Amino acid sequence: MNDLIQVSDRLQVFGNLESNVRSYCRSFPAKFKRASGHQLWDAEGRSYIDFFAGAGALNYGHNPPEMKKKLIKYLVEDGISHSLDMATEAKERFLTRFNDVILKPRGLNYKIMFPGPTGTNSVESALKLARKVTGRQTIMSFTNAFHGMTLGALAVTGNKFKRSGAGVPLNHTLSMPYDGYMGRDVNSIDYIESFLKDSGSGISLPAAVIVETLQGEGGINAASDEWLIGLANLCQTYGMLLIVDDVQMGCGRTGTFFSFEHCGIVPDLVCMSKSIGGYGLPMALTLMKPELDLWEPGEHNGTFRGNNLAFITAAAALDYWESQAFSHEIEEKAELVCNALVEIVASVPELKGEVKGKGLMQGIAFEAGIAEKISALAFERGLILETSGTDSEVIKIMPPLTIDRTGLVSGLQILKDCIFDIAVDVNLLVSHP
Amino acid sequence: MNDLIQVSDRLQVFGNLESNVRSYCRSFPAKFKRASGHQLWDAEGRSYIDFFAGAGALNYGHNPPEMKKKLIKYLVEDGISHSLDMATEAKERFLTRFNDVILKPRGLNYKIMFPGPTGTNSVESALKLARKVTGRQTIMSFTNAFHGMTLGALAVTGNKFKRSGAGVPLNHTLSMPYDGYMGRDVNSIDYIESFLKDSGSGISLPAAVIVETLQGEGGINAASDEWLIGLANLCQTYGMLLIVDDVQMGCGRTGTFFSFEHCGIVPDLVCMSKSIGGYGLPMALTLMKPELDLWEPGEHNGTFRGNNLAFITAAAALDYWESQAFSHEIEEKAELVCNALVEIVASVPELKGEVKGKGLMQGIAFEAGIAEKISALAFERGLILETSGTDSEVIKIMPPLTIDRTGLVSGLQILKDCIFDIAVDVNLLVSHP
Amino acid sequence: MNDLIQVSDRLQVFGNLESNVRSYCRSFPAKFKRASGHQLWDAEGRSYIDFFAGAGALNYGHNPPEMKKKLIKYLVEDGISHSLDMATEAKERFLTRFNDVILKPRGLNYKIMFPGPTGTNSVESALKLARKVTGRQTIMSFTNAFHGMTLGALAVTGNKFKRSGAGVPLNHTLSMPYDGYMGRDVNSIDYIESFLKDSGSGISLPAAVIVETLQGEGGINAASDEWLIGLANLCQTYGMLLIVDDVQMGCGRTGTFFSFEHCGIVPDLVCMSKSIGGYGLPMALTLMKPELDLWEPGEHNGTFRGNNLAFITAAAALDYWESQAFSHEIEEKAELVCNALVEIVASVPELKGEVKGKGLMQGIAFEAGIAEKISALAFERGLILETSGTDSEVIKIMPPLTIDRTGLVSGLQILKDCIFDIAVDVNLLVSHP
Amino acid sequence: MNDLIQVSDRLQVFGNLESNVRSYCRSFPAKFKRASGHQLWDAEGRSYIDFFAGAGALNYGHNPPEMKKKLIKYLVEDGISHSLDMATEAKERFLTRFNDVILKPRGLNYKIMFPGPTGTNSVESALKLARKVTGRQTIMSFTNAFHGMTLGALAVTGNKFKRSGAGVPLNHTLSMPYDGYMGRDVNSIDYIESFLKDSGSGISLPAAVIVETLQGEGGINAASDEWLIGLANLCQTYGMLLIVDDVQMGCGRTGTFFSFEHCGIVPDLVCMSKSIGGYGLPMALTLMKPELDLWEPGEHNGTFRGNNLAFITAAAALDYWESQAFSHEIEEKAELVCNALVEIVASVPELKGEVKGKGLMQGIAFEAGIAEKISALAFERGLILETSGTDSEVIKIMPPLTIDRTGLVSGLQILKDCIFDIAVDVNLLVSHP
């Protein structure tokens, strides 16, 4: 009771003035003040380990010093802050670095678009371009997909609660089963193809397919390489463009810069945002094969396409990708996480947990209700982690990629303790119904 | 020829790597490096007077020193940069200041939503909420309106070129004539009402009306107070919500903080972005009457709702609004601009210019082609100003509100010279066809 | 009370078994048994004068003897009754007669489509073809238009009550003001053109415009010749197809076979149904300029395109149109009706009636409530006439075109008496409130 | 060559005057004059056996004498021909007979709606009502479904060619796999349920499911009883209305009056047309459970809801259903057909035919091209049968239900001969490529 009052006191301004739509401040009821690396501190001086990483916007941790230094220098020197889509030195530097460090070494030849500073902006621009290039209207998306909150992106998002917020029918889209949706034995690619090749299936040939290689919001569902390759082939066969939404899975989250690198497919369009800005600053990219760049000047525009502070930190963030070292580091941490999760799940079989995910986007799926309890308890003990899935059934481990071994182990230990304590409660409940 | 090569050299990286969709870098072909107040400098050291102000995102000028100082301090102290919609000290300070400095003194009682950091995000959220609250789907918008590029906002935007970029039909909207659209003698409110009250008019009762009090992109068309009051009454009579899109006209552009203050209407929802962040950083607000705040937690979300660097500068920017002084200052400058434009138009009657607008959003409408020539010539002479209107027929004067008298007079002198020189060309053309 | 019981007894089977959607049997609560010319008889032997003519499907009266004879002969000889769209002698004869009697003499060169046997089918086919030919999606329609109940036709219908029955948003249409809608002084063609020529008006260029030359259901609103010619010119200028829905106004209702003959326009597409079958049998045509006949075989189909019994009577009905005599006859009757209505209106100025319409589609507009009372009282006295307008505010005089002078005069006398009696009631009400 | 000229001569009027959309007159290039029972005669006196039955509109054969007699009597006595939805004796008789002969004995309690005289009208009305009753918009339909050509019905039709004729996106629908679509081993009901119960599947809960128990146009695909029962259960569980489109399969086509009788489900809504009129006259019904009859009077209307000539023959046709005898007769003929088809298929294994269907809606599926050749050859030899399936891959045997044994055997013999002759050609082709 005392605690509740304190919380409500602490967050009174938000309760009074901010719309009811606010959400994370309800799960994590602290007022944060300062952050560095994988740690945050609230106004009362309490520290927290961050296994949430700004929902993927803070892959390089909070306020990484090398970027911070460059950012302050740029501010001090009165570098351009806001430039619409005018040319600036900061933008030129980012473009050059992105091409040299990311695109060229991977043999990728993409034109780069700045579609507005958010993921949903990038998705909207990709859908527009796909429709323009093909002259078709339907976009195929997948069950449990998450692509954004503006009307075009929402129409390819699976979540019923979010969709109903639209207030209008969400059309011109086709929701198809993601890998594994029809059970592990059924290949949903075959099923999708039957709809495409059949002239009586009641659907229109899509302009494009939009897909996440791993569904972070939708329950940490990873598509297999075979499935992704099958999907890319389907796109080729039927003349649909392949759009990979790498907003959350890009920038190294799954181990490589792009999440699709390891399986060898080359999407026609790629959506990037979140950690692309490096420092958590709003920025987004849409990558497109040059032959698809049929935009007219200004056909898609926006005020904040030129967030030059983000260009500075984004360019600096690319330093991580100069060599393979960062990827190897992520993989090692990913293995550590995976082993820990497998061990936890094995230790509390009564919770029937299932380890999911890859890279530093992993989690454990439980029955409804458990994951939310874990998240709440962990927060009380100084660990921030979110749930995932439309029923919040998955506890999600998504630390900054730069987290050190100590931080990672500490966080996992808190998680383990919480799960064990909750298992005790569940067991008590079971034995004394 | 030499010049062309130089331009293309200078911007080669952009031409090679950036999508064809880029636009302002074509009208203003320089590579900018540094900026302060109302001035920019390019990489070659040339200076420019800014009569464009980041399309309204830089009402307080480039890198205003007082905000810059606070921003650097916050960075140095490792303040939270990115926070989704978690509570932070920076956000609390902004909320409190916005309430104390803006809302309370104006007797406004709005709940504040952070809908994602761009104007189009704010518009999308307002449309969603209006549809949810009323259970209706249609939104009434106006000829020549501009509200954004994502699918929901684009559907209420008038511009045909932008609309066709959608690639799908833009539905659930109703485009009605803006003030003056049917000629100065016809009251378009009466016409609109005939559609609303008539059970045979073929339209559905809209959930809401979205309107700009002055159409900045659509040709600098200012609605009269009578018309806006008539529209607000119509909304009341027919149970439609009134949404004012103050993304460009808010934050003092027309003289008062909100553009609708002087006419006494109180919108149900207000969309803000652009200069709300103070320093040109991506940020947006949606204001709503408390009784309309029927959002479920998380029903609309987004990664960059918590751009804390913007909260720091946004809170600092509100210092300008502590007294009436800033408003008076804007009005004085507005008068200076207006007088200058009227004089210019009178001096070159052969160009048939028409002065439009109010506050520091003014312009001259010409026949097609003229305004673009003026903009190009002015840029060569070190003045940045944009055109407006679907046929780019209006030359737009939109300096930072903080521009000093010297800067303003210098810019207007360049503008005047350009117009005179172009008038000479036009006259020559007329006399020697 | 006794009467009510009798009515409910009489129509008990309908009340028990038929859906609540039934309507005319509520306004005209008799069980009809037999009909001939302009008269019907109910099961109890009561006779009624028909000023309703099957809502325009019985322009030649009930069971015209010459058609009846041919129909029975055809049945006796086992002529084909149903033929999908296979070739039959009956169909060939109709096609030939329609070309020889109707099209050729009017210099019209239309291809003929049998779109299914109802008006709404014809409208749906015309909209499909217009969209196919132009590659555009929007159809412009008018306030108070009525075009049918299936989803495509409903979307161009103005009536709010009918529209809301759709249960889904009705899109891809644009409702514009009909002639006179903005007041007699405002030319709505100019207003419409401003939307078409302005690249910022927020609408898409329509594929076609669908119009009734006189709105029969929407309140008996007749468009002027100037307005129709202006509309046709607008279509030409902007490359929109002109569709005239002559379902109710065709087949002589306004004096000429097609309602648009007198003003000299040549629509791109014409929709016909109702009286085209001659005997009240379901049949419809869609006429199109030959260069628009881009249909693929079977692209629009339907089971009852080949209603051969209707072809027999439809061909016979064309005999009426061999000379100008029938048109002259209609005009004379129209004048008689008009004079009578004008006189009635003048005699009861307190009812503020307004005579509307032309040909044998005329009526008097009253304040809400009056027309329905007139219709009910008239029915009690043996005269069937319907109301029109979305608020049922117009009493509609629409007898068979073949009605003789005696029938016409008798019906008008009943109407006059009813109106006078209702005026007395209204006066009493006014004097003794 | 000579033949071609003759055909084109014979059908010259149609080629000159009728739209290109005409189709069956191309497959069956004769000009028909007379018909009786299962036979037609063309203008040149040639006779044809009818295995097409007006696409299901002539289940009782051409011009059945008992109905013809009643129809002529009614005409002679000047019975009402056209009545909108006013009450007539003919309509009352039909309603009473339909209730007594069809509904009551089957324990069905439906309210009856006359939605306009075609199948597509009935479907449109059912979709409207389902949306109104549930307040939801989406309708679930199935791959290869056929429901009609107007915009609402077309949106639930699977055929790509027909759909693209709409010229606008067909929305508010959800196409799901019909029984067997995912292979005989996969239960598509489970798959559909996974979309319904999952809050992340990207679809909205449908207002209703519309289904044919056997897809006649879509390739003669019969749903199993288990599947239909599973579907009905799904509807119950998720609160979706079940609409059975019995336009083609009703009136005895599969052996019972309603096609769903044998599996024991009771749809919420039933669409009927085609043979309901008995004599091939345009007529349609929509049946609804009384608690769903939430129509407002006149909310759906139409000119030809009261085709009284059809009511006369429709009531007479119900005499066939007074006892079980007619059903038994159909079953016997169905068995005869089935045996013949099985034998044919077995005799020409090289054609890889597959017998499909039930009742007197049977067919053989071949590889593409074969069925069309069979249909063309059979027509030359005096047998009319159509193909089915989106690639016209199925030859369809659909005689009048009243065909006598001699007619049936003769027709099957012609069919057999044609198939054998075509097999010879194919074999020759194979051996001498």
Side-chain angles (χ1 to χ4, degrees), chain A residues 15 18-23 26, chain B residues 111 290 293-298:
Chain A
E18 198 178 352
S19 160
N20 295 325
V21 80
R22 69 198 186 281
S23 62
R26 300 172 195 263
Chain B
K111 293 295 282 296
D293 186 17
L294 303 182
W295 287 112
E296 295 289 320

Side-chain angles (χ1 to χ4, degrees), chain A residues 100-411:
Chain A
D100 291 348
V101 179
I102 303 297
L103 297 182
K104 271 198 207 152
R106 286 163 180 79
L108 296 169
N109 182 21
Y110 285 127
K111 292 297 278 300
I112 301 165
M113 175 182 179
F114 299 90
T118 68
T120 198
N121 259 305
S122 175
V123 169
E124 295 262 349
S125 70
L127 302 189
K128 278 186 182 179
L129 188 59
R131 284 164 168 151
K132 173 169 185 160
V133 167
T134 61
R136 301 194 296 263
Q137 303 188 325
T138 304
I139 306 288
M140 185 191 298
S141 60
F142 292 98
T143 51
N144 290 306
F146 185 93
H147 297 293
M149 285 294 105
T150 51
L151 223 52
L154 193 53
V156 287
T157 289
N159 188 296
K160 184 172 289 191
F161 167 61
K162 304 284 188 197
R163 288 176 72 83
S164 72
V168 290
L170 295 170
N171 291 319
H172 314 304
T173 54
L174 176 66
S175 183
M176 281 285 167
Y178 194 70
D179 191 18
Y181 191 77
M182 300 159 76
R184 280 291 150 198
D185 305 334
V186 184
N187 184 344
S188 68
I189 295 292
D190 290 350
Y191 172 69
I192 295 166
E193 181 157 27
S194 70
F195 267 78
L196 293 173
K197 77 177 170 208
D198 175 9
S199 53
S201 62
I203 62 150
S204 300
L205 180 63
V209 175
I210 186 164
V211 69
E212 301 153 284
T213 61
L214 189 163
Q215 298 180 322
E217 298 299 309
I220 311 195
N221 312 308
S224 68
D225 287 2
E226 295 70 38
W227 190 84
L228 289 169
I229 292 165
L231 186 65
N233 290 340
L234 214 57
C235 285
Q236 190 122 32
T237 307
Y238 291 91
M240 306 178 296
L241 300 181
L242 178 61
I243 306 170
V244 168
D245 179 342
D246 239 8
V247 167
Q248 194 174 56
M249 291 309 129
C251 301
R253 180 51 59 189
T254 66
T256 48
F257 184 81
F258 293 114
S259 73
F260 52 82
E261 287 179 37
H262 61 283
C263 76
I265 63 172
V266 180
D268 296 294
L269 290 139
V270 183
C271 300
M272 308 208 76
S273 184
K274 292 200 187 262
S275 282
I276 192 69
Y279 205 80
L281 305 183
M283 177 176 162
L285 300 180
T286 310
L287 308 178
M288 69 204 78
K289 289 187 176 166
E291 64 270 26
L292 304 178
D293 186 17
L294 303 183
W295 288 111
E296 293 290 319
E299 196 172 357
H300 181 96
N301 63 12
T303 299
F304 294 114
R305 286 165 297 161
N307 183 0
N308 284 265
L309 303 192
F311 294 156
I312 292 295
T313 50
L318 296 178
D319 294 352
Y320 281 90
W321 299 98
E322 292 274 10
S323 75
Q324 300 288 331
F326 192 50
S327 273
H328 293 321
E329 193 186 315
I330 300 167
E331 274 164 44
E332 279 167 33
K333 293 174 193 169
E335 206 182 330
L336 191 156
V337 171
C338 184
N339 291 340
L341 298 188
V342 166
E343 194 198 306
I344 291 173
V345 163
S347 310
V348 285
E350 63 273 36
L351 289 186
K352 294 177 201 131
E354 181 199 354
V355 178
K356 304 182 81 173
K358 62 193 287 191
L360 282 175
M361 172 62 88
Q362 297 190 47
I364 310 176
F366 294 103
E367 284 173 7
I370 304 285
E372 282 170 311
K373 281 186 194 153
I374 296 168
S375 170
L377 188 57
F379 182 73
E380 285 179 26
R381 298 180 183 180
L383 175 66
I384 297 175
L385 34 59
E386 193 197 12
T387 62
S388 167
T390 49
D391 299 319
S392 302
E393 73 277 12
V394 180
I395 190 79
K396 185 154 85 173
I397 292 87
M398 183 171 48
L401 307 179
T402 53
I403 192 169
D404 60 26
R405 199 184 167 82
T406 315
L408 198 56
V409 168
S410 307

Side-chain angles (χ1 to χ4, degrees), chain B residues 106-176:
Chain B
R106 286 164 182 77
L108 295 170
N109 182 19
Y110 285 127
K111 293 295 282 296
I112 301 166
M113 173 180 181
F114 299 91
T118 67
T120 198
N121 258 305
S122 175
V123 169
E124 295 262 348
S125 70
L127 302 189
K128 277 185 181 180
L129 187 59
R131 282 162 169 152
K132 173 170 186 161
V133 167
T134 61
R136 301 195 294 265
Q137 302 187 327
T138 304
I139 306 287
M140 185 191 298
S141 60
F142 292 98
T143 51
N144 290 305
F146 185 94
H147 298 293
M149 286 294 103
T150 52
L151 224 51
L154 193 53
V156 286
T157 289
N159 188 297
K160 183 172 289 190
F161 166 60
K162 304 285 187 196
R163 289 176 72 84
S164 72
V168 290
L170 294 170
N171 290 319
H172 313 304
T173 54
L174 175 66
S175 183
M176 281 285 166

Side-chain angles (χ1 to χ4, degrees), chain D residues 111-284:
Chain D
K111 292 294 281 300
I112 301 165
M113 173 182 180
F114 299 91
T118 69
T120 198
N121 259 305
S122 174
V123 169
E124 295 262 349
S125 70
L127 302 189
K128 277 186 183 180
L129 188 59
R131 284 164 168 152
K132 174 170 184 157
V133 167
T134 61
R136 300 194 296 264
Q137 302 189 326
T138 304
I139 306 289
M140 186 192 297
S141 60
F142 292 98
T143 51
N144 290 306
F146 184 94
H147 297 292
M149 287 293 105
T150 52
L151 224 51
L154 193 52
V156 286
T157 289
N159 188 297
K160 183 172 290 192
F161 166 60
K162 304 284 189 196
R163 288 176 73 84
S164 73
V168 289
L170 295 170
N171 290 320
H172 313 304
T173 55
L174 175 66
S175 183
M176 281 284 168
Y178 195 71
D179 191 19
Y181 191 77
M182 298 159 78
R184 279 292 148 198
D185 305 335
V186 183
N187 185 345
S188 68
I189 295 294
D190 290 349
Y191 172 68
I192 296 166
E193 181 158 25
S194 69
F195 267 78
L196 293 174
K197 78 176 168 208
D198 175 9
S199 54
S201 62
I203 63 151
S204 300
L205 180 63
V209 175
I210 186 164
V211 68
E212 302 153 283
T213 62
L214 189 164
Q215 298 181 321
E217 299 299 310
I220 311 195
N221 312 307
S224 68
D225 287 2
E226 294 71 38
W227 190 84
L228 289 170
I229 291 165
L231 186 64
N233 291 340
L234 215 57
C235 285
Q236 191 122 31
T237 306
Y238 291 91
M240 306 179 293
L241 301 180
L242 178 61
I243 306 170
V244 169
D245 179 341
D246 238 8
V247 167
Q248 194 174 56
M249 291 309 128
C251 302
R253 181 49 62 189
T254 66
T256 48
F257 184 81
F258 293 114
S259 73
F260 52 81
E261 287 178 38
H262 61 282
C263 76
I265 63 173
V266 180
D268 296 293
L269 290 139
V270 183
C271 299
M272 309 209 74
S273 183
K274 292 200 185 261
S275 281
I276 192 67
Y279 206 80
L281 304 183
M283 177 175 164

Side-chain angles (χ1 to χ4, degrees), chain C residues 10-11 13-26 28 30-36 40 43 52 54-55 57-58 62-63 68 71-72 75-82 84-89 91-92 95-96 99 110-114 117-118 120-121 124 128 131 136-137 146 149-152 154 161-162 165-169 172 273-274 279-283 288 293 295-301 303-305 307 309, chain D residues 10-11 13-26 28 30-36 40 43 52 54-55 57-58 62-63 68 71-72 75-82 84-89 91-92 95-96 99 110-114 117-118 120-121 124 128 131 136-137 146 149-152 154 161-162 165-169 172 273-274 279-283 288 293 295-301 303-305 307 309:
Chain C
R10 214 187 291 149
L11 302 183
V13 167
F14 302 89
N16 289 349
L17 300 179
E18 197 176 352
S19 161
N20 295 326
V21 81
R22 69 196 186 282
S23 62
Y24 287 123
C25 58
R26 300 174 195 260
F28 309 119
K31 187 165 67 192
F32 296 98
K33 180 193 178 80
R34 195 163 61 83
S36 180
L40 294 94
F52 183 21
L58 296 167
H62 293 267
N63 305 330
K68 172 174 158 180
L71 182 55
I72 292 174
L75 285 164
V76 167
E77 291 174 352
D78 272 341
I80 303 287
S81 293
H82 175 278
L84 292 156
D85 71 349
M86 294 194 278
T88 64
E89 287 200 331
K91 186 175 181 179
E92 183 182 48
L95 282 168
T96 305
N99 193 40
Y110 285 127
K111 293 295 281 297
I112 301 165
M113 173 182 180
F114 299 91
T118 68
T120 197
N121 258 304
E124 294 262 350
K128 277 186 182 180
R131 283 162 168 152
R136 300 195 295 263
Q137 302 188 326
F146 185 94
M149 287 292 104
T150 51
L151 223 53
L154 193 53
F161 166 61
K162 304 285 187 196
V168 290
H172 314 305
S273 183
K274 293 202 185 258
Y279 206 80
L281 305 182
M283 177 174 164
M288 69 204 78
D293 186 16
W295 288 111
E296 293 291 317
E299 196 172 355
H300 182 94
N301 63 11
T303 299
F304 294 115
R305 287 166 297 164
N307 182 1
L309 303 193
Chain D
R10 216 187 287 149
L11 302 183
V13 167
F14 301 89
N16 289 349
L17 300 180
E18 198 177 351
S19 161
N20 295 325
V21 80
R22 70 197 186 281
S23 63
Y24 287 124
C25 59
R26 299 172 195 263
F28 309 120
K31 187 165 66 193
F32 296 99
K33 180 193 178 81
R34 195 164 61 83
S36 182
L40 295 94
F52 184 20
L58 295 167
H62 293 266
N63 304 331
K68 174 175 156 180
L71 182 55
I72 292 174
L75 285 165
V76 167
E77 292 174 350
D78 272 340
I80 303 285
S81 294
H82 175 278
L84 292 157
D85 71 349
M86 294 194 278
T88 65
E89 287 200 330
K91 188 175 180 179
E92 182 182 51
L95 282 168
T96 307
N99 192 40
Y110 284 127
K111 292 294 281 300
I112 301 165
M113 173 182 180
F114 299 91
T118 69
T120 198
N121 259 305
E124 295 262 349
K128 277 186 183 180
R131 284 164 168 152
R136 300 194 296 264
Q137 302 189 326
F146 184 94
M149 287 293 105
T150 52
L151 224 51
L154 193 52
F161 166 60
K162 304 284 189 196
V168 289
H172 313 304
S273 183
K274 292 200 185 261
Y279 206 80
L281 304 183
M283 177 175 164
M288 67 204 79
D293 186 16
W295 287 112
E296 294 289 319
E299 196 173 357
H300 181 96
N301 63 12
T303 299
F304 295 113
R305 287 165 296 161
N307 183 1
L309 304 192

